[in-house]
mmCIF file of all heavy atoms in Angstrom:
data_model
loop_
_atom_site.group_PDB
_atom_site.id
_atom_site.type_symbol
_atom_site.label_atom_id
_atom_site.label_comp_id
_atom_site.label_asym_id
_atom_site.label_seq_id
_atom_site.Cartn_x
_atom_site.Cartn_y
_atom_site.Cartn_z
ATOM 1 N N ILE A 1 24.861 -29.851 -17.121
ATOM 2 C CA ILE A 1 23.825 -30.203 -16.195
ATOM 3 C C ILE A 1 22.515 -30.159 -16.947
ATOM 4 O O ILE A 1 22.224 -29.307 -17.782
ATOM 5 C CB ILE A 1 23.790 -29.271 -15.006
ATOM 6 C CG1 ILE A 1 22.732 -29.765 -14.000
ATOM 7 C CG2 ILE A 1 23.518 -27.801 -15.375
ATOM 8 C CD1 ILE A 1 22.872 -29.100 -12.597
ATOM 9 N N GLY A 2 21.682 -31.163 -16.794
ATOM 10 C CA GLY A 2 20.444 -31.242 -17.505
ATOM 11 C C GLY A 2 19.276 -31.866 -16.779
ATOM 12 O O GLY A 2 19.381 -32.447 -15.744
ATOM 13 N N PHE A 3 18.116 -31.640 -17.411
ATOM 14 C CA PHE A 3 16.845 -32.231 -16.914
ATOM 15 C C PHE A 3 16.291 -32.961 -18.159
ATOM 16 O O PHE A 3 15.981 -32.319 -19.182
ATOM 17 C CB PHE A 3 15.891 -31.140 -16.409
ATOM 18 C CG PHE A 3 14.617 -31.685 -15.831
ATOM 19 C CD1 PHE A 3 14.552 -32.131 -14.517
ATOM 20 C CD2 PHE A 3 13.471 -31.706 -16.617
ATOM 21 C CE1 PHE A 3 13.332 -32.569 -14.005
ATOM 22 C CE2 PHE A 3 12.344 -32.197 -16.157
ATOM 23 C CZ PHE A 3 12.184 -32.638 -14.831
ATOM 24 N N ARG A 4 16.127 -34.271 -18.040
ATOM 25 C CA ARG A 4 15.801 -35.073 -19.254
ATOM 26 C C ARG A 4 14.779 -36.157 -18.953
ATOM 27 O O ARG A 4 14.461 -36.433 -17.779
ATOM 28 C CB ARG A 4 17.088 -35.749 -19.729
ATOM 29 C CG ARG A 4 18.228 -34.812 -20.046
ATOM 30 C CD ARG A 4 19.492 -35.619 -20.303
ATOM 31 N NE ARG A 4 20.552 -34.743 -20.615
ATOM 32 C CZ ARG A 4 21.906 -35.160 -20.683
ATOM 33 N NH1 ARG A 4 22.224 -36.391 -20.341
ATOM 34 N NH2 ARG A 4 22.830 -34.244 -20.985
ATOM 35 N N SER A 5 14.322 -36.771 -19.987
ATOM 36 C CA SER A 5 13.493 -37.972 -19.884
ATOM 37 C C SER A 5 14.413 -39.071 -19.305
ATOM 38 O O SER A 5 15.624 -39.036 -19.483
ATOM 39 C CB SER A 5 12.906 -38.498 -21.206
ATOM 40 O OG SER A 5 13.948 -38.855 -22.044
ATOM 41 N N ALA A 6 13.854 -40.069 -18.612
ATOM 42 C CA ALA A 6 14.677 -41.100 -17.947
ATOM 43 C C ALA A 6 15.282 -42.109 -18.943
ATOM 44 O O ALA A 6 16.403 -42.513 -18.734
ATOM 45 C CB ALA A 6 13.762 -41.892 -16.956
ATOM 46 N N ALA A 7 14.631 -42.403 -20.039
ATOM 47 C CA ALA A 7 15.184 -43.370 -20.979
ATOM 48 C C ALA A 7 16.289 -42.699 -21.759
ATOM 49 O O ALA A 7 16.272 -41.528 -22.106
ATOM 50 C CB ALA A 7 14.067 -43.797 -21.909
ATOM 51 N N SER A 8 17.328 -43.554 -21.968
ATOM 52 C CA SER A 8 18.521 -43.062 -22.701
ATOM 53 C C SER A 8 18.433 -43.424 -24.154
ATOM 54 O O SER A 8 17.821 -44.424 -24.545
ATOM 55 C CB SER A 8 19.828 -43.654 -22.097
ATOM 56 O OG SER A 8 19.995 -43.263 -20.772
ATOM 57 N N PRO A 9 19.066 -42.679 -25.044
ATOM 58 C CA PRO A 9 19.114 -43.015 -26.484
ATOM 59 C C PRO A 9 19.861 -44.357 -26.655
ATOM 60 O O PRO A 9 20.705 -44.745 -25.872
ATOM 61 C CB PRO A 9 19.864 -41.854 -27.141
ATOM 62 C CG PRO A 9 20.643 -41.257 -26.025
ATOM 63 C CD PRO A 9 19.805 -41.416 -24.766
ATOM 64 N N ASP A 10 19.467 -45.034 -27.719
ATOM 65 C CA ASP A 10 20.075 -46.376 -27.877
ATOM 66 C C ASP A 10 21.549 -46.364 -28.173
ATOM 67 O O ASP A 10 22.241 -47.327 -27.876
ATOM 68 C CB ASP A 10 19.370 -47.041 -29.189
ATOM 69 C CG ASP A 10 17.943 -47.333 -28.924
ATOM 70 O OD1 ASP A 10 17.525 -47.511 -27.689
ATOM 71 O OD2 ASP A 10 17.100 -47.305 -29.883
ATOM 72 N N ASP A 11 22.063 -45.242 -28.643
ATOM 73 C CA ASP A 11 23.515 -45.177 -28.890
ATOM 74 C C ASP A 11 24.335 -44.918 -27.632
ATOM 75 O O ASP A 11 25.535 -44.897 -27.641
ATOM 76 C CB ASP A 11 23.849 -44.184 -29.989
ATOM 77 C CG ASP A 11 23.416 -42.737 -29.528
ATOM 78 O OD1 ASP A 11 22.970 -42.562 -28.396
ATOM 79 O OD2 ASP A 11 23.574 -41.836 -30.418
ATOM 80 N N GLY A 12 23.628 -44.612 -26.546
ATOM 81 C CA GLY A 12 24.350 -44.462 -25.261
ATOM 82 C C GLY A 12 25.109 -43.162 -25.186
ATOM 83 O O GLY A 12 26.062 -43.046 -24.370
ATOM 84 N N SER A 13 24.731 -42.195 -25.980
ATOM 85 C CA SER A 13 25.547 -40.916 -26.014
ATOM 86 C C SER A 13 25.264 -40.076 -24.801
ATOM 87 O O SER A 13 26.146 -39.232 -24.440
ATOM 88 C CB SER A 13 25.093 -40.137 -27.317
ATOM 89 O OG SER A 13 23.754 -39.927 -27.317
ATOM 90 N N THR A 14 24.182 -40.199 -24.154
ATOM 91 C CA THR A 14 23.851 -39.401 -22.941
ATOM 92 C C THR A 14 23.125 -40.255 -21.942
ATOM 93 O O THR A 14 22.578 -41.352 -22.217
ATOM 94 C CB THR A 14 22.901 -38.239 -23.279
ATOM 95 O OG1 THR A 14 21.664 -38.709 -23.754
ATOM 96 C CG2 THR A 14 23.565 -37.325 -24.307
ATOM 97 N N VAL A 15 23.068 -39.777 -20.674
ATOM 98 C CA VAL A 15 22.299 -40.405 -19.606
ATOM 99 C C VAL A 15 20.914 -39.803 -19.747
ATOM 100 O O VAL A 15 20.709 -38.585 -19.517
ATOM 101 C CB VAL A 15 22.903 -40.175 -18.214
ATOM 102 C CG1 VAL A 15 21.998 -40.804 -17.133
ATOM 103 C CG2 VAL A 15 24.320 -40.646 -18.120
ATOM 104 N N GLY A 16 19.892 -40.623 -20.045
ATOM 105 C CA GLY A 16 18.607 -40.118 -20.336
ATOM 106 C C GLY A 16 18.484 -39.307 -21.577
ATOM 107 O O GLY A 16 19.463 -39.159 -22.338
ATOM 108 N N GLY A 17 17.338 -38.746 -21.826
ATOM 109 C CA GLY A 17 17.194 -37.804 -22.931
ATOM 110 C C GLY A 17 16.676 -38.427 -24.252
ATOM 111 O O GLY A 17 16.733 -37.740 -25.315
ATOM 112 N N LYS A 18 16.169 -39.622 -24.206
ATOM 113 C CA LYS A 18 15.683 -40.188 -25.485
ATOM 114 C C LYS A 18 14.435 -39.517 -25.917
ATOM 115 O O LYS A 18 14.181 -39.253 -27.140
ATOM 116 C CB LYS A 18 15.400 -41.683 -25.267
ATOM 117 C CG LYS A 18 14.931 -42.402 -26.569
ATOM 118 C CD LYS A 18 14.926 -43.902 -26.396
ATOM 119 C CE LYS A 18 14.499 -44.506 -27.760
ATOM 120 N NZ LYS A 18 14.508 -46.026 -27.665
ATOM 121 N N ASP A 19 13.560 -39.101 -24.977
ATOM 122 C CA ASP A 19 12.257 -38.547 -25.330
ATOM 123 C C ASP A 19 12.326 -36.980 -25.218
ATOM 124 O O ASP A 19 12.971 -36.449 -24.378
ATOM 125 C CB ASP A 19 11.187 -39.055 -24.350
ATOM 126 C CG ASP A 19 10.957 -40.567 -24.479
ATOM 127 O OD1 ASP A 19 11.350 -41.194 -25.505
ATOM 128 O OD2 ASP A 19 10.451 -41.078 -23.480
ATOM 129 N N ASP A 20 11.578 -36.366 -26.152
ATOM 130 C CA ASP A 20 11.369 -34.938 -26.106
ATOM 131 C C ASP A 20 10.339 -34.656 -24.983
ATOM 132 O O ASP A 20 9.186 -35.112 -25.097
ATOM 133 C CB ASP A 20 10.957 -34.428 -27.463
ATOM 134 C CG ASP A 20 10.722 -32.887 -27.438
ATOM 135 O OD1 ASP A 20 10.796 -32.277 -26.371
ATOM 136 O OD2 ASP A 20 10.374 -32.394 -28.527
ATOM 137 N N ILE A 21 10.658 -33.922 -23.931
ATOM 138 C CA ILE A 21 9.764 -33.690 -22.828
ATOM 139 C C ILE A 21 9.095 -32.329 -22.904
ATOM 140 O O ILE A 21 8.408 -31.944 -21.978
ATOM 141 C CB ILE A 21 10.418 -33.922 -21.478
ATOM 142 C CG1 ILE A 21 11.624 -32.926 -21.327
ATOM 143 C CG2 ILE A 21 10.908 -35.366 -21.296
ATOM 144 C CD1 ILE A 21 12.248 -33.005 -19.950
ATOM 145 N N SER A 22 9.259 -31.651 -23.996
ATOM 146 C CA SER A 22 8.675 -30.320 -24.166
ATOM 147 C C SER A 22 7.146 -30.317 -24.218
ATOM 148 O O SER A 22 6.540 -29.254 -24.124
ATOM 149 C CB SER A 22 9.287 -29.545 -25.367
ATOM 150 O OG SER A 22 8.973 -30.226 -26.548
ATOM 151 N N TYR A 23 6.576 -31.528 -24.399
ATOM 152 C CA TYR A 23 5.109 -31.530 -24.391
ATOM 153 C C TYR A 23 4.566 -31.313 -23.033
ATOM 154 O O TYR A 23 3.372 -30.933 -22.882
ATOM 155 C CB TYR A 23 4.615 -32.875 -24.983
ATOM 156 C CG TYR A 23 4.965 -34.097 -24.139
ATOM 157 C CD1 TYR A 23 4.054 -34.512 -23.202
ATOM 158 C CD2 TYR A 23 6.113 -34.767 -24.343
ATOM 159 C CE1 TYR A 23 4.296 -35.625 -22.393
ATOM 160 C CE2 TYR A 23 6.388 -35.904 -23.549
ATOM 161 C CZ TYR A 23 5.503 -36.315 -22.600
ATOM 162 O OH TYR A 23 5.775 -37.434 -21.820
ATOM 163 N N PHE A 24 5.347 -31.442 -21.959
ATOM 164 C CA PHE A 24 4.777 -31.141 -20.674
ATOM 165 C C PHE A 24 5.722 -30.173 -19.828
ATOM 166 O O PHE A 24 5.371 -29.619 -18.878
ATOM 167 C CB PHE A 24 4.565 -32.403 -19.774
ATOM 168 C CG PHE A 24 5.740 -33.155 -19.274
ATOM 169 C CD1 PHE A 24 6.209 -32.869 -18.009
ATOM 170 C CD2 PHE A 24 6.413 -34.051 -20.068
ATOM 171 C CE1 PHE A 24 7.312 -33.580 -17.420
ATOM 172 C CE2 PHE A 24 7.514 -34.765 -19.550
ATOM 173 C CZ PHE A 24 7.986 -34.464 -18.282
ATOM 174 N N VAL A 25 6.900 -29.895 -20.325
ATOM 175 C CA VAL A 25 7.902 -28.988 -19.673
ATOM 176 C C VAL A 25 7.993 -27.777 -20.581
ATOM 177 O O VAL A 25 8.343 -27.866 -21.757
ATOM 178 C CB VAL A 25 9.222 -29.618 -19.457
ATOM 179 C CG1 VAL A 25 10.206 -28.564 -18.944
ATOM 180 C CG2 VAL A 25 9.135 -30.782 -18.485
ATOM 181 N N LYS A 26 7.612 -26.580 -19.976
ATOM 182 C CA LYS A 26 7.710 -25.315 -20.762
ATOM 183 C C LYS A 26 9.153 -24.756 -20.679
ATOM 184 O O LYS A 26 9.680 -24.283 -21.708
ATOM 185 C CB LYS A 26 6.724 -24.336 -20.225
ATOM 186 C CG LYS A 26 6.755 -23.032 -20.918
ATOM 187 C CD LYS A 26 5.647 -22.077 -20.383
ATOM 188 C CE LYS A 26 5.656 -20.739 -21.169
ATOM 189 N NZ LYS A 26 4.634 -19.779 -20.620
ATOM 190 N N ARG A 27 9.726 -24.740 -19.529
ATOM 191 C CA ARG A 27 11.064 -24.220 -19.325
ATOM 192 C C ARG A 27 11.719 -24.809 -18.106
ATOM 193 O O ARG A 27 11.056 -25.259 -17.217
ATOM 194 C CB ARG A 27 11.074 -22.702 -19.253
ATOM 195 C CG ARG A 27 10.593 -22.106 -17.870
ATOM 196 C CD ARG A 27 10.788 -20.622 -17.816
ATOM 197 N NE ARG A 27 9.870 -19.941 -18.760
ATOM 198 C CZ ARG A 27 8.617 -19.552 -18.443
ATOM 199 N NH1 ARG A 27 8.147 -19.724 -17.242
ATOM 200 N NH2 ARG A 27 7.842 -18.940 -19.337
ATOM 201 N N VAL A 28 13.040 -24.689 -18.116
ATOM 202 C CA VAL A 28 13.813 -25.207 -16.965
ATOM 203 C C VAL A 28 14.857 -24.115 -16.635
ATOM 204 O O VAL A 28 15.579 -23.631 -17.472
ATOM 205 C CB VAL A 28 14.552 -26.570 -17.208
ATOM 206 C CG1 VAL A 28 15.353 -26.951 -16.027
ATOM 207 C CG2 VAL A 28 13.479 -27.628 -17.631
ATOM 208 N N ALA A 29 14.890 -23.703 -15.381
ATOM 209 C CA ALA A 29 15.791 -22.697 -14.880
ATOM 210 C C ALA A 29 16.896 -23.328 -14.009
ATOM 211 O O ALA A 29 16.523 -24.070 -13.119
ATOM 212 C CB ALA A 29 15.084 -21.572 -14.103
ATOM 213 N N PHE A 30 18.079 -23.089 -14.281
ATOM 214 C CA PHE A 30 19.227 -23.550 -13.579
ATOM 215 C C PHE A 30 19.896 -22.451 -12.816
ATOM 216 O O PHE A 30 20.410 -21.515 -13.483
ATOM 217 C CB PHE A 30 20.236 -24.288 -14.502
ATOM 218 C CG PHE A 30 19.744 -25.475 -15.266
ATOM 219 C CD1 PHE A 30 19.126 -25.262 -16.508
ATOM 220 C CD2 PHE A 30 19.814 -26.757 -14.733
ATOM 221 C CE1 PHE A 30 18.597 -26.321 -17.217
ATOM 222 C CE2 PHE A 30 19.254 -27.822 -15.463
ATOM 223 C CZ PHE A 30 18.706 -27.612 -16.735
ATOM 224 N N LYS A 31 19.905 -22.534 -11.555
ATOM 225 C CA LYS A 31 20.570 -21.488 -10.770
ATOM 226 C C LYS A 31 21.954 -21.892 -10.365
ATOM 227 O O LYS A 31 22.196 -22.743 -9.441
ATOM 228 C CB LYS A 31 19.747 -21.194 -9.460
ATOM 229 C CG LYS A 31 20.283 -19.982 -8.660
ATOM 230 C CD LYS A 31 19.388 -19.674 -7.518
ATOM 231 C CE LYS A 31 19.838 -18.431 -6.710
ATOM 232 N NZ LYS A 31 18.973 -18.100 -5.581
ATOM 233 N N LEU A 32 22.979 -21.362 -11.029
ATOM 234 C CA LEU A 32 24.375 -21.717 -10.825
ATOM 235 C C LEU A 32 24.959 -20.899 -9.687
ATOM 236 O O LEU A 32 24.291 -20.121 -9.081
ATOM 237 C CB LEU A 32 25.149 -21.444 -12.091
ATOM 238 C CG LEU A 32 24.634 -22.027 -13.404
ATOM 239 C CD1 LEU A 32 25.584 -21.768 -14.609
ATOM 240 C CD2 LEU A 32 24.311 -23.538 -13.306
ATOM 241 N N HIS A 33 26.282 -21.192 -9.415
ATOM 242 C CA HIS A 33 26.916 -20.442 -8.351
ATOM 243 C C HIS A 33 27.018 -18.990 -8.753
ATOM 244 O O HIS A 33 27.066 -18.662 -9.975
ATOM 245 C CB HIS A 33 28.375 -21.064 -8.198
ATOM 246 C CG HIS A 33 29.026 -20.573 -6.996
ATOM 247 N ND1 HIS A 33 29.767 -19.399 -6.942
ATOM 248 C CD2 HIS A 33 29.083 -21.117 -5.789
ATOM 249 C CE1 HIS A 33 30.276 -19.239 -5.747
ATOM 250 N NE2 HIS A 33 29.918 -20.239 -4.915
ATOM 251 N N GLU A 34 26.912 -18.166 -7.794
ATOM 252 C CA GLU A 34 26.817 -16.691 -8.066
ATOM 253 C C GLU A 34 28.083 -16.131 -8.689
ATOM 254 O O GLU A 34 28.029 -15.004 -9.271
ATOM 255 C CB GLU A 34 26.613 -15.998 -6.728
ATOM 256 C CG GLU A 34 27.724 -16.136 -5.680
ATOM 257 C CD GLU A 34 27.364 -15.461 -4.410
ATOM 258 O OE1 GLU A 34 26.212 -15.054 -4.233
ATOM 259 O OE2 GLU A 34 28.272 -15.419 -3.534
ATOM 260 N N THR A 35 29.171 -16.867 -8.747
ATOM 261 C CA THR A 35 30.391 -16.363 -9.416
ATOM 262 C C THR A 35 30.296 -16.484 -10.930
ATOM 263 O O THR A 35 31.159 -15.922 -11.642
ATOM 264 C CB THR A 35 31.607 -17.146 -8.915
ATOM 265 O OG1 THR A 35 31.338 -18.581 -9.090
ATOM 266 C CG2 THR A 35 31.833 -16.877 -7.415
ATOM 267 N N TYR A 36 29.316 -17.188 -11.451
ATOM 268 C CA TYR A 36 29.147 -17.293 -12.877
ATOM 269 C C TYR A 36 28.423 -16.084 -13.417
ATOM 270 O O TYR A 36 27.473 -15.596 -12.794
ATOM 271 C CB TYR A 36 28.393 -18.549 -13.271
ATOM 272 C CG TYR A 36 29.193 -19.809 -13.278
ATOM 273 C CD1 TYR A 36 29.312 -20.572 -12.125
ATOM 274 C CD2 TYR A 36 29.909 -20.280 -14.386
ATOM 275 C CE1 TYR A 36 30.152 -21.760 -12.071
ATOM 276 C CE2 TYR A 36 30.633 -21.428 -14.389
ATOM 277 C CZ TYR A 36 30.732 -22.115 -13.222
ATOM 278 O OH TYR A 36 31.529 -23.266 -13.197
ATOM 279 N N PRO A 37 28.783 -15.602 -14.595
ATOM 280 C CA PRO A 37 28.028 -14.527 -15.271
ATOM 281 C C PRO A 37 26.645 -15.012 -15.478
ATOM 282 O O PRO A 37 26.441 -16.147 -15.937
ATOM 283 C CB PRO A 37 28.828 -14.302 -16.567
ATOM 284 C CG PRO A 37 30.148 -14.869 -16.338
ATOM 285 C CD PRO A 37 29.997 -15.996 -15.357
ATOM 286 N N ASN A 38 25.647 -14.227 -15.220
ATOM 287 C CA ASN A 38 24.216 -14.569 -15.386
ATOM 288 C C ASN A 38 23.976 -15.937 -14.791
ATOM 289 O O ASN A 38 23.752 -16.955 -15.508
ATOM 290 C CB ASN A 38 23.887 -14.544 -16.899
ATOM 291 C CG ASN A 38 22.420 -14.885 -17.113
ATOM 292 O OD1 ASN A 38 21.543 -14.689 -16.269
ATOM 293 N ND2 ASN A 38 22.113 -15.500 -18.305
ATOM 294 N N PRO A 39 24.096 -16.059 -13.458
ATOM 295 C CA PRO A 39 23.934 -17.416 -12.819
ATOM 296 C C PRO A 39 22.584 -18.074 -12.988
ATOM 297 O O PRO A 39 22.459 -19.271 -12.836
ATOM 298 C CB PRO A 39 24.269 -17.132 -11.373
ATOM 299 C CG PRO A 39 23.966 -15.715 -11.188
ATOM 300 C CD PRO A 39 24.272 -15.008 -12.490
ATOM 301 N N ASN A 40 21.532 -17.304 -13.277
ATOM 302 C CA ASN A 40 20.204 -17.831 -13.462
ATOM 303 C C ASN A 40 19.974 -18.104 -14.951
ATOM 304 O O ASN A 40 19.640 -17.226 -15.714
ATOM 305 C CB ASN A 40 19.118 -16.925 -12.923
ATOM 306 C CG ASN A 40 19.225 -16.725 -11.414
ATOM 307 O OD1 ASN A 40 19.235 -17.719 -10.698
ATOM 308 N ND2 ASN A 40 19.299 -15.485 -11.011
ATOM 309 N N ARG A 41 20.227 -19.384 -15.347
ATOM 310 C CA ARG A 41 20.175 -19.725 -16.772
ATOM 311 C C ARG A 41 18.767 -20.375 -17.046
ATOM 312 O O ARG A 41 18.384 -21.418 -16.459
ATOM 313 C CB ARG A 41 21.244 -20.818 -17.102
ATOM 314 C CG ARG A 41 22.646 -20.302 -16.730
ATOM 315 C CD ARG A 41 23.115 -19.189 -17.532
ATOM 316 N NE ARG A 41 24.460 -18.720 -17.143
ATOM 317 C CZ ARG A 41 25.606 -19.277 -17.583
ATOM 318 N NH1 ARG A 41 25.571 -20.254 -18.502
ATOM 319 N NH2 ARG A 41 26.798 -18.842 -17.121
ATOM 320 N N ILE A 42 18.016 -19.733 -17.964
ATOM 321 C CA ILE A 42 16.719 -20.237 -18.299
ATOM 322 C C ILE A 42 16.694 -20.846 -19.706
ATOM 323 O O ILE A 42 17.154 -20.179 -20.677
ATOM 324 C CB ILE A 42 15.691 -19.021 -18.238
ATOM 325 C CG1 ILE A 42 15.646 -18.435 -16.837
ATOM 326 C CG2 ILE A 42 14.294 -19.501 -18.684
ATOM 327 C CD1 ILE A 42 14.774 -17.261 -16.668
ATOM 328 N N VAL A 43 16.291 -22.104 -19.751
ATOM 329 C CA VAL A 43 16.239 -22.779 -21.062
ATOM 330 C C VAL A 43 14.850 -23.004 -21.458
ATOM 331 O O VAL A 43 14.045 -23.658 -20.753
ATOM 332 C CB VAL A 43 16.977 -24.154 -20.914
ATOM 333 C CG1 VAL A 43 17.111 -24.833 -22.281
ATOM 334 C CG2 VAL A 43 18.418 -23.906 -20.377
ATOM 335 N N GLU A 44 14.447 -22.435 -22.598
ATOM 336 C CA GLU A 44 13.043 -22.439 -23.073
ATOM 337 C C GLU A 44 12.662 -23.597 -23.987
ATOM 338 O O GLU A 44 11.524 -23.792 -24.308
ATOM 339 C CB GLU A 44 12.703 -21.142 -23.730
ATOM 340 C CG GLU A 44 12.939 -19.865 -22.915
ATOM 341 C CD GLU A 44 11.782 -19.557 -22.015
ATOM 342 O OE1 GLU A 44 10.779 -20.225 -22.092
ATOM 343 O OE2 GLU A 44 11.810 -18.525 -21.335
ATOM 344 N N LYS A 45 13.621 -24.348 -24.463
ATOM 345 C CA LYS A 45 13.390 -25.450 -25.363
ATOM 346 C C LYS A 45 14.427 -26.530 -25.169
ATOM 347 O O LYS A 45 15.460 -26.291 -24.700
ATOM 348 C CB LYS A 45 13.424 -24.949 -26.801
ATOM 349 C CG LYS A 45 14.730 -24.346 -27.255
ATOM 350 C CD LYS A 45 14.652 -23.866 -28.696
ATOM 351 C CE LYS A 45 15.959 -23.255 -29.084
ATOM 352 N NZ LYS A 45 15.890 -22.729 -30.439
#
């Protein structure tokens, strides 16, 4: 599961993600189902 730029890389390897969005996004937190270990996953880069 991800949070990405809308444009996709030319090789079509992923949906979106061509641009580095860290110039305006500091972190993204994903709250998973409580049955997962450490369900609050914080991604800093």
Side-chain angles (χ1 to χ4, degrees):
I1 186 167
F3 183 84
R4 305 168 177 168
S5 67
S8 297
D10 294 333
D11 63 5
S13 56
T14 62
V15 179
K18 181 172 185 176
D19 299 337
D20 180 355
I21 59 175
S22 61
Y23 66 91
F24 75 94
V25 174
K26 181 178 181 180
R27 76 173 65 92
V28 179
F30 300 89
K31 187 175 182 180
L32 309 183
H33 194 273
E34 60 185 12
T35 54
Y36 280 90
N38 182 27
N40 294 308
R41 308 291 178 87
I42 299 176
V43 184
E44 302 273 0
K45 59 182 180 180

